[in-house]
Amino acid sequence: ARDEGDAGFVHDVDWVDRVCTQIRTKRYARICMPRAYQRIYQRLLTPQTYPPSVNDRQIVLDSPKLAIASHEELPADLVTLSKDWAGICEHLSKHVTQRLLRLTTTMEIPADCDRHQTHGMLRISYNSSAGPHFDNSFVSIMGPGTVRGALQFGFLDNSAEGDADYQYFPCEHFRAGGGGDENIQFFMFAGVRLASPLSKDFQPLFHKVIYEKGPEDVDRINTIYFLRRYEMGEYDLEQTELEIHAWNRTVLVDRSFVQHIPEAHLQWQAEQKAAVTPPTACASDEEDVPLNLFDWSSDGQPGAL
């Protein structure tokens, strides 16, 4: 829904192409959204939106890991805001990912398989840090958060003598001019499921988050949406997980936060399960790569929490 703050917002019909071009040339793309969408993000950055099991440091540290069992234990307003924001990010991510796949592969899409099938994750970071890492995603979306300078992008400094090292810049350094500070600019960038640091065309964005409470005593809050899996098929499918990291601890992992799964897919899953050959006594040495292999390390190194 549009409000008075969106009266001057102009939709760019070529936004997908422009985002892909920015990701290719800069490793990140700036995205502006209508004010109504920005306000959802801003409310997710408000400490009062969260229960004490998230925003109270002592309660979090005194509680066991994964103290919140599911999103059903969260305030209804927080759940609604999180689902709304995840839906916005999922919509943007799937269109960009489809275009990037067309640009980076020789895949041919049958006429009857042009629907989006997505598996994403919305991660809320509350007073938490993240070591230097690439995201394990097709694409990721995040805003600047509540603390200036906390989110930093890393680029190789090839001018230094010896081995090149990463030089970091606050995300505010890459903000486009104009629009005023009240207009939030979001960043979208590719992860290692689509891009490679060794590629000459599309490379993932190296970044980190530094959280240090300053004299203003501002809580550092941000949200990150990762598009973990993406396929094109005969029908639309959307699944989104919810994670909350507070005070450098994982307090919630909800794998079934959003489930929009059509009956046709449930039937296909049942058929696949019935057709699986019973396991033998010889186990495979192959294991699935953990989805959080590259994300959100709090000890200064890439890796899982």
Side-chain angles (χ1 to χ4, degrees):
R2 295 179 70 89
D3 59 24
E4 294 181 359
D6 291 331
F9 184 83
V10 179
H11 177 66
D12 183 357
V13 295
D14 297 323
W15 73 270
V16 175
D17 287 333
R18 293 180 184 275
V19 165
C20 293
T21 298
Q22 288 187 52
I23 291 176
R24 179 175 60 82
T25 58
K26 301 179 180 179
R27 302 190 193 176
Y28 65 88
R30 292 185 295 260
I31 294 179
C32 293
M33 302 185 195
R35 292 286 175 84
Y37 295 170
Q38 294 184 39
R39 290 193 179 101
I40 295 174
Y41 174 75
Q42 288 174 318
R43 290 180 64 186
L44 284 171
L45 302 190
T46 304
Q48 292 75 20
T49 302
Y50 298 90
S53 55
V54 174
N55 64 19
D56 188 302
R57 180 178 182 273
Q58 198 58 50
I59 290 178
V60 171
L61 296 182
D62 288 344
S63 301
K65 188 177 180 180
L66 301 178
I68 304 175
S70 77
H71 71 272
E72 295 178 355
E73 298 181 14
L74 298 173
D77 188 47
L78 173 57
V79 172
T80 299
L81 290 170
S82 299
K83 288 187 175 182
D84 287 347
W85 186 244
I88 293 169
C89 293
E90 187 267 349
H91 178 80
L92 298 174
S93 298
K94 67 186 180 184
H95 288 288
V96 171
T97 296
Q98 184 186 70
R99 185 64 54 86
L100 287 175
L101 285 173
R102 293 176 188 264
L103 293 173
T104 57
T105 68
T106 57
M107 62 184 299
E108 295 184 4
I109 304 172
D112 59 346
C113 291
D114 60 349
R115 311 302 296 178
H116 303 280
Q117 299 185 358
T118 64
H119 188 143
M121 174 191 290
L122 179 67
R123 177 176 289 158
I124 296 173
S125 172
Y126 197 105
N127 287 343
S128 295
S129 302
H133 65 283
F134 298 113
D135 279 356
N136 184 22
S137 62
F138 282 90
V139 296
S140 302
I141 298 178
M142 60 194 310
T146 55
V147 176
R148 293 181 62 87
L151 172 60
Q152 300 185 8
F153 298 164
F155 298 89
L156 280 175
D157 182 8
N158 294 310
S159 63
E161 296 182 2
D163 295 335
D165 198 3
Y166 282 94
Q167 185 174 2
Y168 292 92
F169 303 89
C171 71
E172 291 82 7
H173 178 81
F174 305 99
R175 175 185 168 86
D181 290 339
E182 75 283 355
N183 190 37
I184 302 172
Q185 293 184 7
F186 299 90
F187 297 95
M188 178 184 285
F189 47 90
V192 297
R193 294 198 166 215
L194 188 147
S196 168
L198 304 179
S199 171
K200 294 182 179 180
D201 293 320
F202 289 93
Q203 297 185 354
L205 180 66
F206 206 54
H207 57 288
K208 64 180 180 179
V209 176
I210 299 177
Y211 167 67
E212 296 178 357
K213 271 208 168 185
E216 296 83 6
D217 205 35
V218 176
D219 285 314
R220 191 258 165 199
I221 310 172
N222 207 355
T223 68
I224 311 95
Y225 177 86
F226 310 90
L227 184 58
R228 296 295 205 189
R229 298 189 182 100
Y230 177 85
E231 294 180 356
M232 283 168 279
E234 299 178 9
Y235 43 78
D236 288 319
L237 184 152
E238 178 189 353
Q239 299 179 82
T240 303
E241 303 176 13
L242 176 65
E243 285 191 2
I244 298 179
H245 290 200
W247 310 95
N248 283 324
R249 299 189 68 177
T250 304
V251 299
L252 169 67
V253 176
D254 191 328
R255 304 298 187 196
S256 57
F257 182 55
V258 175
Q259 297 276 350
H260 296 156
I261 305 176
E263 185 63 33
H265 187 75
L266 295 175
Q267 181 177 348
W268 175 84
Q269 285 183 321
E271 293 172 353
Q272 294 296 308
K273 184 176 181 180
V276 170
T277 303
T280 65
C282 180
S284 171
D285 291 333
E286 296 182 0
E287 297 181 357
D288 290 336
V289 177
L291 285 182
N292 63 343
L293 178 63
F294 293 92
D295 294 335
W296 221 242
S297 164
S298 63
D299 61 2
Q301 299 295 327
L305 276 174

